[in-house]
Amino acid sequence: MKKNVFAIFLLAAAAIFLSSCSDDHYKSVSLANQLDGGIEITEISGETRQSLPLKIAENTTEEFEVDPDGEEIKFKLKIDGSDYLLRTGYITDFSSFGLKIFRKDGCIFFRIDKHNHDEKLDASI
């Protein structure tokens, strides 16, 4: 019995060690476009498995994967011919998260499901 418990402990420790050595830090991102027009993602900080630019049609959701180059992910977007910068803030503890982009009071906002508050989308300079 003690040998079985010890063997299970060793297997669990080995699995944790091997997963921590992995260089696969990709985050699964779901982006819901709740605008009346399309969104184009022109740049993402870090690596992505999808080709850019990535177009998201109105009232649709796209799933993609990003390996961030820091504690947040920065998205450069084109909406209605204007450029915007979306910064997720701290997301390194999440393996997946959802974003939604929507209009409220004439302004464009976004919400990250893990943060639970709306943020105004910044026009990029």
Side-chain angles (χ1 to χ4, degrees):
M1 179 67 174
K2 287 184 180 183
K3 287 183 183 181
N4 288 341
V5 172
F6 185 69
I8 291 171
F9 174 75
L10 282 178
L11 287 173
I16 291 170
F17 175 75
L18 290 175
S19 69
S20 69
C21 292
S22 169
D23 63 348
D24 189 13
H25 302 287
Y26 279 86
K27 309 285 184 199
S28 177
V29 180
S30 169
L31 196 149
N33 175 4
Q34 296 181 345
L35 300 173
D36 292 334
I39 294 173
E40 183 176 11
I41 301 174
T42 59
E43 191 176 321
I44 299 175
S45 63
E47 298 291 323
T48 181
R49 292 187 172 146
Q50 285 72 21
S51 299
L52 296 178
L54 177 65
K55 295 183 180 184
I56 303 172
E58 63 185 67
N59 297 312
T60 61
T61 300
E62 290 288 331
E63 307 268 339
F64 52 97
E65 295 183 25
V66 178
D67 184 4
D69 62 2
E71 294 180 342
E72 70 178 355
I73 301 174
K74 298 174 198 159
F75 297 87
K76 289 189 178 178
L77 309 172
K78 189 169 283 291
I79 302 171
D80 298 332
S82 296
D83 294 320
Y84 292 90
L85 177 64
L86 187 156
R87 299 177 68 163
T88 63
Y90 186 81
I91 49 86
T92 55
D93 288 345
F94 310 125
S95 62
S96 66
F97 63 94
L99 287 164
K100 71 176 178 178
I101 298 177
F102 58 97
R103 223 177 269 287
K104 179 170 79 172
D105 300 327
C107 296
I108 299 174
F109 286 82
F110 72 95
R111 176 183 280 250
I112 299 170
D113 61 356
K114 306 292 184 183
H115 294 169
N116 288 326
H117 62 276
D118 300 340
E119 295 184 47
K120 189 174 179 181
L121 199 56
D122 292 327
S124 66
I125 298 171

